[in-house]
Amino acid sequence: MARGGGEWTGGITGGGVLSYKRITLLVCFFNILIALFVLRFLYASSLHIYPNNENVVKYTADEIRKMEESIRIRRSKESVELVKLVKKLKHDVDTAESNTELSPNVKHKLVDEILQRLKSLEEKSNVTQLREAVEMWRSEKLKETKELIQGQNGANSTNILEEAGMLIRALELEWDVLSEEIGFWLPAEVKNEEHDDKPEGEEEPEEILAGRPVPAVCNAELHTDYGGAAVRWGLTHHKESAADCCQACLDQAKRAKPGETRCNIWVYCPSEFGCFSPDIYEHKHQECWLKYAEKPKQNFKDRYSESYRNNHPKAPTIVPWVSGVVTA
């Protein structure tokens, strides 16, 4: 039975008495034993998962000998001279790159010389002439600098020789880079070349307009655009053929009442891809413009000029319109 003195009586030790403190110590001791056992188990597992680097791979003496032999053979096959040459070239390139920067004074002098050369040209010089003048200056500058180096051989002028060498390298091998650094730029010249593959002596084939033949009274002119005051806008006035457009002009002139404007010019677009005009509208196939002018005058004939095409990049080479001047 339990007593107030904190003791317990039982038959564990044959009538002996065990206190609560002793039981607690026994439980703690038992828990410590279990914890030590668990720690030992975990430690053994970690050794198995993460083994010592020294125990990862063990080579035999024969394997080590074979590896050493392989290394020796690989080194013997290595091109020592080539490796030395590559290292020397790399060193030379690095040294050259570190010494290619021209001083600001030299760059300013180059800019002044180029501008002076360009000012000596005529005002109407084209891009090709400007480019040729600069190339001539560059050749003369190279020759002058090389002669300077030859004249300085043996003299105590290391800085001059280095500066001259950098200038030769920049003018000869790195001209594009130098041009960009000094701000020199010329636009590319645009050349509109027309290729004529027609055999010599062969005449141009006569162009045939779609639809019925145009009567002689219409005075049709291919690749021609006449100006004049619009009697009927072609944007909303389409005809099947140039002959029909001309007939529409003749009919309008006959039906016009006294005082009304009479058509005496017809302009037709025969191209399926539409016809160019410098205005803001899109001119489509079969447009028929009826116009009037006291003294008819051509806007364009046969070809658009090169200067016109430079100002109007969308203009074709050949004038696409067909026109005619009629008399009532």
Side-chain angles (χ1 to χ4, degrees):
M1 61 180 292
R3 298 182 180 179
E7 295 180 345
W8 177 74
T9 305
I12 298 176
T13 59
V17 179
L18 292 176
S19 64
Y20 291 123
K21 293 180 180 180
R22 291 179 179 177
I23 294 175
T24 302
L25 289 174
L26 288 174
V27 172
C28 292
F29 180 73
F30 181 72
N31 288 337
I32 290 171
L33 289 177
I34 293 175
L36 291 174
F37 176 78
V38 172
L39 288 174
R40 184 179 181 281
F41 175 77
L42 292 175
Y43 178 72
S45 300
S46 66
L47 288 179
H48 178 71
I49 297 174
Y50 305 104
N52 224 339
N53 289 336
E54 297 178 356
N55 300 324
V56 172
V57 179
K58 290 185 178 181
Y59 295 103
T60 63
D62 185 57
E63 289 174 335
I64 294 174
R65 182 184 59 78
K66 290 181 179 179
M67 286 189 291
E68 291 176 348
E69 181 69 15
S70 175
I71 294 173
R72 185 187 64 78
I73 294 174
R74 187 171 64 252
R75 287 179 177 175
S76 65
K77 297 296 183 180
E78 189 178 59
S79 180
V80 179
E81 293 298 327
L82 181 59
V83 172
K84 289 181 179 180
L85 181 59
V86 171
K87 290 181 178 179
K88 183 178 182 301
L89 287 174
K90 185 176 183 302
H91 178 267
D92 293 342
V93 171
D94 294 339
T95 303
E97 288 179 352
S98 63
N99 295 325
T100 54
E101 184 66 25
L102 293 173
S103 64
N105 293 334
V106 174
K107 291 180 180 179
H108 291 159
K109 185 179 179 182
L110 295 178
V111 172
D112 292 339
E113 291 182 8
I114 293 174
L115 291 177
Q116 192 65 31
R117 180 62 63 91
L118 294 179
K119 288 179 181 179
S120 64
L121 300 176
E122 297 179 359
E123 294 183 359
K124 296 183 179 180
S125 299
N126 56 31
V127 176
T128 301
Q129 293 172 328
L130 296 177
R131 198 179 299 278
E132 289 176 353
V134 174
E135 286 298 321
M136 180 66 69
W137 167 86
R138 185 160 71 104
S139 300
E140 294 174 358
K141 194 66 179 177
L142 272 171
K143 182 179 179 181
E144 175 188 339
T145 309
K146 291 178 180 179
E147 291 177 353
L148 175 63
I149 291 179
Q150 293 176 358
Q152 291 291 335
N153 283 341
N156 187 13
S157 53
T158 305
N159 293 335
I160 296 177
L161 291 176
E162 289 180 355
E163 193 80 25
M166 288 188 289
L167 180 57
I168 290 175
R169 189 182 306 109
L171 292 174
E172 205 166 31
L173 304 176
E174 302 173 0
W175 173 239
D176 293 338
V177 177
L178 178 61
S179 301
E180 185 175 352
E181 290 179 355
I182 64 178
F184 174 72
W185 174 82
L186 283 176
E189 185 176 17
V190 179
K191 295 182 179 180
N192 296 314
E193 297 183 358
E194 298 177 1
H195 298 279
D196 187 6
D197 298 331
K198 179 175 64 66
E200 187 176 355
E202 182 178 336
E203 297 182 356
E204 293 284 351
E206 184 178 354
E207 188 170 344
I208 300 176
L209 292 173
R212 63 187 181 90
V214 182
V217 68
C218 296
N219 300 314
E221 298 180 48
L222 298 176
H223 308 299
T224 307
D225 180 15
Y226 274 91
V231 178
R232 182 71 184 271
W233 274 55
L235 296 176
T236 57
H237 184 234
H238 289 200
K239 292 297 180 181
E240 290 293 328
S241 65
D244 294 333
C245 183
C246 170
Q247 189 62 48
C249 180
L250 294 173
D251 293 343
Q252 191 278 338
K254 291 179 182 179
R255 291 195 304 265
K257 298 178 182 179
E260 290 183 348
T261 304
R262 297 174 181 270
C263 175
N264 66 341
I265 301 171
W266 59 274
V267 181
Y268 182 74
C269 177
S271 173
E272 296 180 357
F273 305 101
C275 294
F276 169 80
S277 183
D279 55 34
I280 62 174
Y281 304 106
E282 181 183 357
H283 298 277
K284 298 183 179 180
H285 181 216
Q286 296 182 341
E287 279 189 15
C288 175
W289 289 78
L290 306 184
K291 300 180 180 181
Y292 169 79
E294 185 177 353
K295 295 180 179 181
K297 184 179 179 181
Q298 296 174 351
N299 286 335
F300 302 99
K301 177 68 176 176
D302 294 333
R303 297 171 182 266
Y304 295 105
S305 66
E306 183 177 352
S307 59
Y308 183 84
R309 283 185 284 128
N310 289 335
N311 294 328
H312 300 80
K314 293 184 179 180
T317 303
I318 306 297
V319 177
W321 300 94
V322 178
S323 305
V325 178
V326 297
T327 55

